[in-house]
Amino acid sequence: MGVVEDARHRGIDVRAWAEFDAAMWTSYSLLFRMLDDAAVAAVLWDRFLSSSQRAVIAEGLGVGIEQARSLTALLAGLRELGKLVPGFQRRERGAWDRLGEDLLAGAGRISPVPVEVDRSSMHVAFGVLGAFGFAVGGNSSPAVRCAQVVGGMGGRFLQVDVDGGAAARRVSATGGGAAWRELRARYAALVRYLVGAVVVPERVSVQAAVLMTGVGMLAGRLSGQRGHWQDAAHMPAFGAAEHFADARARAVEVVGEAELDRVDLEPVPFTTAHPHLAGPNDLQASLMAQLPGLVGEYGVGITVIADGTGSGKSVGALEVGRICNGGCGTAGVAWLMPTTATTDAAWETLAAYVRAHRPERVPVTLVHNHSRLNAAYTGTRPAAEAAGGPAGALTALMTDGNRPVGIPVPAQGGATGPEHEAREPAEPGEEAAGPEVTAPEGFLSGQDAALLAQFCAATVDQAQMAVLPVQFSVLRLLALSGKTVVVDEAHALTPYSHLQLLRLLGWLGSLRTPVVLLSATMPSSTSSAMVAAYLAGAGHEPARLAATDYAPTYPGWLFADAATATAHRIQEAARKRHALAHRRPLRVTMRAVTYRRLGDAGRAVDAGERLAAVGQSVGRAAREGGCAVVGCATVADSQDTYQYLRRSWTGDPGELMLLHARLPGWVREQRTRFVRRMLGPAGPRPDRLVVVATSILDTSLDIDVDMMVSDLASIARLLQRAGRLARFHRSWQDTGRRPPWWGPGHVPHLTVLQPLGAAGATAVPAEWRTVEPAFLLHATAALLEAKNRDLQLDVPGDVQDLVEQVHGEHSPFADETATLRRLLAGHLQRTMAEEHLSAVHLIPPHERVSALADLHRQYLTAGQAATRLGTPPRRLLPCYLTAAGERALDRAGTQPLPDQKHPSPAQVRRILQHTVPVPAAWVARRGPQHRPPASWDQHPLLADLVLLPAPARDRAHTEHYGRHLLRMDDELGLIHDQVN
């Protein structure tokens, strides 16, 4: 019989099963499941893939778009074919007994070794594809590569052993006799006939194979959902053709329900897309004027925007995304940030941008390890008890004058945390998100699936997993390659992570993905390296790229097209206008101090100490009003500083705030949101506010303060930190928003505290060296000393030169002293070690891939394939022992610690909102009392938590973890000490 007859009613045996419902004793036909996968893949091609992705696949196969679609659907339809072997079919005795007599008789001896379906499908597909006419040869031959695509849809690429496991005799030995072999061939031919894959490709590129694998992987996830196949199993179709017609209709529904349909945002005026702006600045206007012509002439490429902090780089990136999506065939934006806090801020910016276009509904996803804890994203908020409650409160209501309400202040009776979850109301002056932009609750809520959303904000490590040999890494490449990828704060990665980003940029270049790099303090050598990595992925010779300068003028932008690798820059007249329009003065003064920890909270502090210098520097704001930030090197320093300032603080307690990473998650989020609201461009600015913080406020937060004090840091970090100082200097002129002491001609002032040793030279505390390399701190101190400790800056005009002097490839301070030479040598040695460790785990560039299995030579789990060097932190959960002996999340005992095997999502969220990240070494030696409830042992989010128990009435209780001592202070957050 031929495929036409097989497609008809009772034309082919459909009793081989793929899914089995044990409760209903119902099996689902393997053929029907294969047709489901093919149908969903075809709909994903139509509705999910961007036109650029479709073009990459078609070009990589050497066929037209329609045949590329059919071939993609065919391979997706073959991903389950490996189940048509006796070893798998016998897994369910009830389904096995229903097979035809010819299959049962020809099963032969069944191996007791469980069938690995992905490998079985790959081996079976290899023979089937060869019979279809796919050329059989080396690793890159169409039959081998397409068989690897079929096997790779399970999550990893496998090696095809043409003369071994994939050989016909070996497949026959384990795959049953002639009846089994014939039925597999007929199933495959039927899928091929129904999807219309009549052309045999002469080649299969690595890029095409990767994207087709991602489509099949995604199709399998969607069609494998129990709700998708269960109804069809209970009411099966009469024949394959009838089922496929129904499968196509159901595929449209399942793709729509998963919110994977592409949406074209309606064109809107600039001021509608960015309602907080009166119009584009000169740099944005030059992008909007020059880039469409460049994209139209040359096609896809990489854009670098280098500009001062607060000058509108984010808006420029969104405009580049709009232009590239329209001209390059991509759809959407993936915004990558270095930290969770900056990613949260980027998500709000991206969601507001999408919302401004008034779509019917477009999910904008937030992708990082704790995205479900973000109250704005999930639409819920922690509800704290009102002040004066039985356990005190975190939120105090300010009522004097027109001061805003809701300023978080330290709890006097212990932070109680969220009691329950409620809808998050819109902040004053903020438009509610509305139903069209929201966190997905279905398919896209999965961590790797969230990247598939057309618009997403993610930490950069979520994208870096695409170039690590982990399961489903291909799905991340598929997710990123269909939209414009924006890498914000591109300079802020360690050498370990930077090398991974370079490899990712190479893959994105090979996949025709437009990329935008943003930075205010990126050395020209770093910029050139990133652009060169992208262009090398696009097919250009590295030697030629190394000889070309790809650094943009500062401030300015550069576009390097993938077609010719030519650098196109902003017109000089526009650059000069922009620099002049955003010019502002900045004074940086370095003040020598003696570094000493506070220790006893009441200790007398000498005049030359760091703490005394902080108090003197912010004293004016404390006395006369204004908003100030004290940037501390470590959490411990921020706690000391806060305690010292609080001793002499005469204002309202809510006007002095502590913000660092070791506060309970819900407290940190609440305080960060408050700072962003109050100190943002439209916020109801307080008359007085001093925030003592770590680096959590350094980057990508659109806030403005009148005064800033900072511990010694690298010049790049100091300039980033200073980006919050008088950020709205020009727009706020003559608005009355500045404190009384801010008179005409006032120059914003950053005071940098330089720790000195007994010999009068810079002495970097050991604790600070874990934050930044000591060389960078010493080189920055040498730079400021060369300027007589008082530096008058023109921002942005002087920024790039300062960055190059410390962070550049040929820093003039590297050979300044023997100490700096020694520190540089150590810094370079550590950098090389990090790069080596990072390179060990990376997948190869596309041009070095022979067999697709090269992409998964190492078998790494997501936990093993680190995107940052070092042991991942552990999550510490403070809890309190009530008088009744029960454990609770609050001192009052109103929130009992859930002890059940399947806690609700709300309970899980509430638990995680109380956790604090700590170095794994701190809790390595934990006792039985530090273990979470046994009922959590199998929970993916709760099993690895470490408890920090304390008697509810003992506010000074310290818990021992070996030599590490931990205590959760209601006011200061987690306090760490250790004994020798």
Side-chain angles (χ1 to χ4, degrees), residues 159-438:
Q159 183 64 50
V160 176
D161 186 356
V162 175
D163 297 321
R169 67 182 189 283
R170 291 285 297 273
V171 173
S172 296
T174 58
W180 292 85
R181 184 168 59 253
E182 179 188 358
L183 191 59
R184 286 194 296 267
R186 289 171 66 187
Y187 274 15
L190 193 50
V191 173
R192 185 188 187 197
Y193 164 69
L194 290 174
V195 301
V198 297
V199 173
V200 174
E202 296 182 359
R203 64 176 184 271
V204 181
S205 71
V206 172
Q207 298 94 317
V210 163
L211 293 184
M212 287 192 295
T213 304
V215 172
M217 195 180 291
L218 181 54
R221 286 194 181 188
L222 293 174
S223 64
Q225 298 174 100
R226 179 172 291 272
H228 184 73
W229 60 262
Q230 198 167 38
D231 289 344
H234 293 307
M235 293 187 296
F238 291 108
E242 179 189 1
H243 178 85
F244 189 60
D246 177 64
R248 285 182 294 184
R250 289 187 293 114
V252 172
E253 292 179 6
V254 74
V255 171
E257 290 170 357
E259 300 184 294
L260 293 173
D261 289 301
R262 292 187 313 277
V263 176
D264 295 325
L265 298 182
E266 293 294 330
V268 297
F270 180 90
T271 52
T272 301
H274 313 285
H276 58 289
L277 298 177
N281 61 32
D282 289 290
L283 187 145
Q284 294 158 0
S286 70
L287 278 167
M288 295 164 65
Q290 289 181 245
L291 197 57
L294 294 173
V295 171
E297 181 176 357
Y298 298 102
V300 71
I302 182 170
T303 305
V304 184
I305 302 178
D307 200 0
T309 55
S311 57
K313 294 188 297 295
S314 297
V315 172
L318 290 171
E319 288 301 306
V320 173
R322 176 185 60 80
I323 294 167
C324 289
N325 287 339
C328 303
T330 47
V333 171
W335 202 305
L336 309 181
M337 300 293 293
T339 67
T340 57
T342 54
T343 305
D344 288 343
W347 174 79
E348 292 193 8
T349 299
L350 188 58
Y353 174 78
V354 173
R355 186 167 60 245
H357 290 77
R358 297 293 177 183
E360 182 177 347
R361 175 179 168 83
V362 177
V364 181
T365 56
L366 176 64
V367 194
H368 57 68
N369 288 338
H370 302 289
S371 58
R372 302 303 297 181
L373 304 185
N374 183 296
Y377 179 56
T378 59
T380 60
R381 61 179 173 84
E385 291 183 341
L394 180 73
T395 304
L397 302 181
M398 308 293 292
T399 57
D400 52 328
N402 59 358
R403 191 180 303 278
V405 300
I407 295 183
V409 299
Q412 301 303 315
T416 62
E419 264 191 314
H420 57 274
E421 293 183 331
R423 294 300 301 175
E424 176 73 35
E427 298 286 343
E430 178 189 22
E431 183 183 353
E436 69 279 0
V437 179
T438 181

Side-chain angles (χ1 to χ4, degrees), residues 409-716:
V409 299
Q412 301 303 315
T416 62
E419 264 191 314
H420 57 274
E421 293 183 331
R423 294 300 301 175
E424 176 73 35
E427 298 286 343
E430 178 189 22
E431 183 183 353
E436 69 279 0
V437 179
T438 181
E441 293 296 336
F443 181 78
L444 287 179
S445 61
Q447 192 72 352
D448 55 352
L451 278 174
L452 294 163
Q454 186 172 340
F455 295 92
C456 66
T459 48
V460 70
D461 62 303
Q462 295 292 333
Q464 288 168 213
M465 295 291 282
V467 291
L468 294 174
V470 298
Q471 194 172 25
F472 305 121
S473 58
V474 168
L475 198 63
R476 296 176 187 265
L477 280 175
L478 175 74
L480 294 170
S481 61
K483 39 190 173 267
T484 298
V485 175
V486 178
V487 185
D488 206 343
E489 307 297 347
H491 64 281
L493 297 177
T494 65
Y496 184 90
S497 298
H498 177 70
L499 191 61
Q500 295 180 346
L501 178 59
L502 293 180
R503 185 61 50 84
L504 176 62
L505 290 173
W507 271 93
L508 294 178
S510 74
L511 293 168
R512 297 182 182 175
T513 303
V515 171
V516 187
L517 304 177
L518 306 179
S519 181
T521 55
M522 185 158 60
S524 58
S525 58
T526 302
S527 172
S528 290
M530 289 184 174
V531 174
Y534 178 90
L535 295 175
H540 295 280
E541 288 296 327
R544 175 199 166 193
L545 298 174
T548 306
D549 177 17
Y550 288 109
T553 50
Y554 193 96
W557 58 264
L558 171 144
F559 173 73
D561 66 88
T564 68
T566 302
H568 312 271
R569 291 179 170 84
I570 183 176
Q571 293 177 347
E572 185 62 16
R575 190 194 72 81
K576 289 182 177 179
R577 287 196 305 270
H578 178 75
L580 182 61
H582 287 79
R583 182 180 180 183
R584 60 187 178 94
L586 174 66
R587 182 183 176 194
V588 180
T589 302
M590 188 167 68
R591 179 172 178 176
V593 297
T594 301
Y595 178 81
R596 184 181 175 189
R597 291 290 308 279
L598 180 60
D600 182 5
R603 177 179 72 82
V605 174
D606 296 335
E609 286 190 45
R610 168 190 172 276
L611 292 172
V614 171
Q616 294 166 8
S617 299
V618 302
R620 191 170 194 178
R623 294 188 306 270
E624 304 176 35
C627 299
V629 163
V630 181
C632 302
T634 67
V635 170
D637 290 326
S638 70
Q639 292 169 330
D640 285 354
T641 304
Y642 174 81
Q643 288 187 91
Y644 174 74
L645 293 177
R646 188 186 57 188
R647 285 176 6 187
S648 59
W649 191 260
T650 58
D652 193 285
E655 297 172 337
L656 177 63
M657 180 188 298
L658 177 63
L659 181 58
H660 57 72
R662 295 197 186 118
L663 293 163
W666 71 280
V667 178
R668 184 176 64 253
E669 180 191 346
Q670 201 174 65
R671 294 187 185 181
T672 303
R673 285 175 60 83
F674 165 77
V675 169
R676 290 173 54 203
R677 296 285 185 263
M678 297 299 106
L679 302 183
R685 193 175 182 83
D687 294 335
R688 179 189 294 106
L689 179 65
V690 175
V691 182
V692 179
T694 53
S695 60
I696 198 168
L697 297 180
D698 282 1
T699 58
S700 297
L701 292 181
D702 200 19
I703 61 173
D704 175 296
V705 295
D706 307 308
M707 178 185 296
M708 184 171 287
V709 183
S710 172
D711 283 327
L712 179 64
S714 67
I715 192 66

Side-chain angles (χ1 to χ4, degrees), residues 494-500 834-835 837-838 841 866-869:
T494 65
Y496 184 90
S497 298
H498 177 70
L499 191 61
Q500 295 180 346
E834 286 194 30
E835 290 176 343
L837 289 173
S838 181
H841 284 176
T867 55
R868 294 186 177 95
L869 194 61

